[in-house]
Amino acid sequence: MSETYKMKIAGLERELPVCPLNENVSIAGFIIFGDVELTVAAATELLKKLPEFDYIVTPEAKSIPLAYEMSRQSGKKYFVVRKKEKLYMQNPVSVSVKSITTATEQKLILDGADGEQIRGKKIVILDDVISTGKSLESVEELVNKFDVDIVAKAAILAEGDAADRTDIVFLEKLPLIFK
C-alpha cells in the first residue's frame, strides 16, 4: 500500500496520497473530484469565512466542483479561468503562469465577455490548494484587467509556507513532507 497523509478537512477525515515532488520533498495529493461530501462541507465552511462578494472566479480544473457548490449555496455566479482558448470565447484575455503542480508554463484565459460581467465587482478568487501562490497571482493579474475589487483569495488548503500568509482564507494547513 502506498504512503498516505491523514488529515481532517471541514470536519471530515481524509487520507491523501503522498506524492514525490522531487528527491527531497513530497506533497500530500489533494483531489476533490468525486468527493461530494467534502466538496459540500468545504464550500459551507469557506462561505462562513468570506466577506460579501458578487462573483467567484476559479482556475480550471480541480477547484471547479468547489466553485460550483459555493455558487449553489450562495446564489452567486462563478466564472472559470481556462487553460486553453475556446472557440466560443469573445475577445479572450490571457496571462502566463508556472505552477508547482504542472511541468510547463501555462496560459490562463478569461473570456472577455465574462470579464465584462465581473468588471468593477467584488470578486473571490477561489482555488483548491494554495501552495507557491503563482496560480493565484496569475488569476489576480488576469481579473485585475477588468478593474475588479478582490475581496478575498480563498482555498480549502494552504500548503507549506502559504499557511503563514495573512492575505488568504483557507480551512486547513497542508504541510510539505521532507525526507
Side-chain angles (χ1 to χ4, degrees):
M1 180 174 185
S2 1
E3 186 181 352
T4 60
Y5 179 80
K6 192 175 193 174
M7 69 181 300
K8 194 175 253 192
I9 307 165
L12 303 171
E13 284 196 8
R14 293 295 185 266
E15 286 195 33
L16 309 179
V18 174
C19 308
L21 192 57
N22 58 45
E23 63 184 38
N24 300 316
V25 182
S26 293
I27 59 174
F30 178 69
I31 307 294
I32 198 166
F33 289 139
D35 194 337
V36 175
E37 180 184 36
L38 182 57
T39 302
V40 171
T44 300
E45 294 307 310
L46 275 173
L47 284 168
K48 290 176 185 175
K49 293 182 159 212
L50 294 177
E52 183 61 34
F53 65 92
D54 297 311
Y55 296 117
I56 297 166
V57 177
T58 194
E60 183 173 57
K62 291 189 306 181
S63 55
I64 293 173
L66 179 64
Y68 168 83
E69 182 58 25
M70 289 175 67
S71 178
R72 189 190 69 76
Q73 289 184 28
S74 69
K76 308 289 176 121
K77 187 173 182 178
Y78 73 98
F79 296 89
V80 177
V81 172
R82 304 297 303 260
K83 292 178 182 173
K84 291 187 179 179
E85 193 171 318
K86 303 298 178 184
L87 292 175
Y88 62 78
M89 290 182 164
Q90 301 170 24
N91 303 313
V93 177
S94 67
V95 296
S96 295
V97 62
K98 176 74 172 88
S99 169
I100 190 173
T101 56
T102 55
T104 59
E105 188 172 272
Q106 296 180 319
K107 264 189 168 179
L108 293 181
I109 304 161
L110 184 64
D111 187 326
D114 291 346
E116 290 308 320
Q117 283 188 60
I118 66 171
R119 184 175 297 281
K121 300 295 185 186
K122 294 178 182 174
I123 302 301
V124 169
I125 299 175
L126 179 68
D127 212 342
D128 59 332
V129 178
I130 297 172
S131 186
T132 64
K134 295 296 183 193
S135 296
L136 188 71
E137 288 171 13
S138 296
V139 174
E140 191 171 0
E141 179 185 345
L142 185 59
V143 298
N144 275 330
K145 293 181 179 202
F146 296 95
D147 303 314
V148 300
D149 178 11
I150 300 169
V151 297
K153 296 172 267 190
I156 297 172
L157 304 175
E159 184 173 55
D161 292 342
D164 298 328
R165 292 177 58 165
T166 58
D167 66 325
I168 61 173
V169 175
F170 62 94
L171 299 181
E172 298 297 335
K173 297 177 182 181
L174 185 62
L176 295 173
I177 302 163
F178 295 94
K179 296 181 181 180

